[in-house]
Amino acid sequence: MRVLKATQQAIAAAGAALRSGALVAFPTETVYGLGADATSGRAVAAIYSAKGRPRFNPLIVHVRDLDAAQRLGRLTGSGRQLAAAFWPGALTLVLAKEPRCPVAELATAGLSTIALRVPAHPIAQALIRAADRPVAAPSANRSGHVSATTAAHVEADVGASVAIILDGGPTPIGLESTVVDATSAEPVILRLGGLARDDMERVLGRPLALARGATGKPASPGMLARHYAPAARLRLDAGEVHAGEALLAFGPTVPKHAAAAINLSPSGDLAEAAANLFSALRELDAAGPEAIAVMPIPHVGLGEAINDRLKRAARPQ
Ligand code: TXA
Ligand code: MG
């Protein structure tokens, strides 16, 4: 495994590694991805073993632009509106798979739908172009861990299984992409993420429903009750810090604390808080506290996705 600064040369080598069937980890504007050639079942299989992930979880397929996306999935009215407004970006659209879609069945877990994303990060863009094919990539963490937002996190979680980690520094958004099922006329959010619900609602001109995680079969493992999990217990909406607790703070007014503390955003900026969330959880968890006290996060804009992750991480194991 090599960790390479993402120079042109390194990206060319990573593209060749993908074409040869190896795994490459790379930054996107949301989180790091664990990439494989999406058209190769064998390459995709290596992703599942690297993550220790159940086979039936379908992966996001990353493509360079809208045209490339349309060769793989069918864009309908609302999906088209969202793609036009938010691609490239932190949006994943679940679409009906095109009949001649060359993506391996394993990448879509045998479903008739496919999750597609056009990432905006220049390194992700350059890598997809260098590979010259769709790149299947889940978040580059062990299954059940919080997503990796730095190359060091990737190395710690899945380093043994990848050929190259392209280091592009910390990912700017820090939350996974927002997943929207756009297979029908009524799109629904399958996973809250780096693109806020109200931004999409403004474009669609109507409210966008959130799929219920609890309605029978989970449409998206992002909806699993406990999914983003540090080892320490999380105590949410904490106004004070108890003995033995670490503190995950937010905003300018912080309660007194003795042990480890990290402020997601001293100025109270939700985008900054999202960018820092997963690395802060990893860092506080590593200190081995009895629990992590989490200050309240406003439930607006990206706060909705941050609270979603915190709520899942707070569920008992
Ligand atoms: O920001 C992100 O989304 C990152 C970067 C690397 O793109 N990727 C990511 O992938 O978070 P992953 O595999 O950890 O999460 C993909 C989500 C899962 O919740 C999965 O169930 C859902 O997308 N998904 C994928 N294909 C689907 C499909 N055909 N139908 C419904 N949900 C699907
Ligand atoms: Mg993930």
Side-chain angles (χ1 to χ4, degrees):
M1 183 267 307
R2 292 182 294 163
V3 183
L4 301 178
K5 201 168 149 260
T7 60
Q8 245 178 10
Q9 212 180 8
I11 290 167
L18 283 175
R19 280 198 304 279
S20 78
L23 300 184
V24 169
F26 62 99
T28 79
E29 67 275 30
T30 56
V31 298
Y32 274 77
L34 178 62
D37 174 355
T39 65
S40 160
R42 289 182 72 136
V44 170
I47 291 179
Y48 292 97
S49 51
K51 283 189 66 96
R53 157 181 278 198
R55 295 240 150 173
F56 43 78
N57 285 11
L59 306 175
I60 296 174
V61 176
H62 300 70
V63 292
R64 64 167 84 185
D65 58 20
L66 185 70
D67 266 2
Q70 293 194 96
R71 286 197 282 277
L72 308 183
R74 182 156 318 134
L75 271 172
T76 52
S78 53
R80 190 171 294 281
Q81 273 179 294
L82 291 172
F86 301 111
W87 274 351
L91 170 69
T92 294
L93 290 175
V94 174
L95 304 174
K97 214 195 280 185
E98 280 293 348
R100 293 220 300 261
C101 174
V103 167
E105 283 287 326
L106 190 58
T108 56
L111 299 172
S112 59
T113 55
I114 183 166
L116 292 167
R117 174 170 173 220
V118 179
H121 197 294
I123 297 171
Q125 272 290 334
L127 178 66
I128 294 165
R129 284 161 202 264
D132 197 26
R133 61 198 59 193
V135 176
S139 49
N141 54 281
R142 292 280 305 172
S143 188
H145 287 191
V146 296
S147 294
T149 56
T150 67
H153 296 164
V154 175
E155 196 178 350
D157 266 27
V158 295
S161 320
V162 303
I164 295 175
I165 299 174
L166 288 175
D167 187 352
T171 56
I173 294 177
L175 288 175
E176 302 85 351
S177 62
T178 299
V179 181
V180 175
D181 179 343
T183 52
S184 77
E186 289 288 323
V188 292
I189 300 174
L190 298 180
R191 179 179 74 181
L192 292 161
L195 173 61
R197 189 210 299 236
D198 43 7
D199 288 337
M200 293 186 288
E201 290 179 337
R202 253 193 300 281
V203 163
L204 295 174
R206 62 193 162 105
L208 195 49
L210 184 57
R212 287 257 187 76
T215 54
K217 64 170 187 200
S220 185
M223 306 303 260
L224 287 182
R226 185 182 165 90
H227 186 64
Y228 302 90
R233 186 169 55 81
L234 258 61
R235 191 168 65 79
L236 303 183
D237 289 324
E240 73 293 305
V241 185
H242 302 161
E245 281 185 340
L247 171 65
L248 189 63
F250 177 84
T253 318
V254 175
K256 273 210 191 63
H257 56 275
I262 294 178
N263 196 327
L264 291 173
S265 172
S267 68
D269 176 351
L270 288 166
E272 184 186 23
N276 291 330
L277 178 67
F278 290 143
S279 53
L281 284 173
R282 277 179 190 258
E283 197 176 324
L284 290 178
D285 205 25
E290 228 153 78
I292 300 173
V294 184
M295 286 179 66
I297 311 285
H299 206 67
V300 293
L302 286 182
E304 196 179 13
I306 296 173
N307 284 323
D308 170 77
R309 297 302 185 275
L310 287 170
K311 220 167 66 194
R312 289 169 201 284
R315 298 259 161 84
Q317 248 144 349

